[in-house]
Amino acid sequence: MYARHIAHAAAPDEAGLRCALEAALAAVPRERFLPPGPWHLARSSGGYARTPDDDPVYLYQDLPVAIRSERHLNNGQPSFVTGLIARGGPARGMDAVHVGTGTGYYTALLAHLAGAEGHVLGIEHDPALAAFAAEALAGRPQVRIVAGDGASMPLPPADLVLVNAGAVRPAECWLDALKPGGRLILPLTAGPMPGTPITRGAVFLIVRRDDGHYTARCLSPTLIYPCAGARDPEAERALARALAAGGQEAVRRLDRTDELPDDRCWLRGPGWCLAYG
């Protein structure tokens, strides 16, 4: 039931993709990628509700589960993160990079979708979480987990780069890694929200075209943990102004240039901009 419900929420209109997602969700045990129970389930009103015991049945809901509750760090909401994976066009044999792999649950879903002939690189800034994910994923030879700054290290060529944390700009290495036709799922966020480190913003799909240019479009709003290597105060202030002004739905391309005038850009930084039309 969990797998079917989450897959339908993530890809309601794409039968083939929905079936692939359902198979991945059914094959990957969520409890393997979480600390021992009882667990803390995120409440929609804020805070957490502790499960009565360590029965994994409580984990098969469309709810974030705390990884480190004192840090507000969660295993994300399944329908949302699976939906981002769906928008990235996963396919068997793909080369994927997961920035912000956490404890590895969604990396495992990517690995199942990629199959034995694919490759998935998971990058986690927190060494303890990276070690946890590496152990949990040890039986999947197509997966490699590294600890480090996923916004600055060189990356292998990728069909899909999933950034599972809030950035204030697209990192050069993410854009450089995309193969022609490659997709970048990019949450751009400013914040934090009062009393938490969680940031608010919007998720963008960036696609590298065969000619080396990039299309871009806004997928959805988001609340997400910040990306430790892809934040700086000046860029965050510019992003906050753009989000406050709105208009992200009209973004259609990403340019790696300083040449476009300001009135054609929704958001810009040194050497890049998200542009209209």
Side-chain angles (χ1 to χ4, degrees):
M1 283 179 60
Y2 166 83
R4 183 161 294 184
H5 289 167
I6 300 304
H8 181 264
D13 302 318
E14 301 168 74
L17 177 57
R18 187 170 65 249
C19 289
L21 293 172
E22 183 178 337
L25 288 156
V28 177
R30 199 177 186 194
E31 61 271 22
R32 182 179 177 88
F33 298 90
L34 289 166
W39 299 278
H40 290 83
L41 308 181
R43 299 175 184 266
S44 58
S45 58
Y48 296 97
R50 187 177 185 270
T51 62
D53 53 49
D54 63 355
D55 187 336
V57 70
Y58 298 110
L59 302 177
Y60 292 94
Q61 306 178 62
D62 191 19
L63 292 172
V65 180
I67 296 171
R68 299 281 189 273
S69 58
E70 73 280 2
R71 292 170 52 190
H72 300 270
L73 180 61
N74 301 326
N75 178 262
Q77 184 174 10
S79 63
F80 178 71
V81 184
T82 306
L84 296 185
I85 292 172
R87 299 286 71 76
R92 198 160 191 86
M94 70 177 172
D95 295 314
V97 176
H98 187 191
V99 179
T101 204
T103 50
Y105 177 63
Y106 298 102
T107 313
L109 295 183
L110 286 168
H112 193 280
L113 291 162
E117 59 270 47
H119 300 90
V120 179
L121 172 63
I123 307 169
E124 174 52 48
H125 196 269
D126 184 318
L129 295 182
F132 186 105
E135 182 176 353
L137 288 157
R140 298 177 183 268
Q142 72 272 49
V143 180
R144 181 166 64 97
I145 302 295
V146 299
D149 182 358
S152 63
M153 66 175 63
L155 301 178
D159 300 295
L160 170 61
V161 177
L162 170 65
V163 180
N164 202 14
V168 295
R169 53 177 171 77
E172 294 285 330
C173 64
W174 302 339
L175 297 172
D176 291 342
L178 294 179
K179 300 178 186 180
R183 286 85 58 201
L184 167 63
I185 302 293
L186 176 63
L188 291 177
T189 61
M193 296 177 64
T196 81
I198 304 301
T199 54
R200 184 193 302 270
V203 182
F204 290 84
L205 170 65
I206 312 296
V207 181
R208 183 178 181 181
R209 302 189 324 215
D210 290 344
D211 62 6
H213 292 88
Y214 301 83
T215 63
R217 64 184 177 93
C218 182
L219 297 179
S220 73
T222 187
L223 297 172
I224 199 166
Y225 207 80
C227 184
R231 305 197 72 84
D232 68 73
E234 183 176 352
E236 185 159 357
R237 286 191 291 270
L239 175 58
R241 290 192 295 270
L243 289 168
Q248 57 265 38
E249 295 82 6
V251 168
R252 292 294 178 268
R253 59 193 247 216
L254 182 144
D255 278 23
R256 301 180 78 175
T257 178
D258 290 315
E259 296 177 1
L260 283 184
D262 287 346
D263 63 358
R264 293 182 58 191
C265 299
W266 177 74
L267 176 66
R268 73 185 314 149
W272 68 275
C273 69
L274 284 170
Y276 307 114

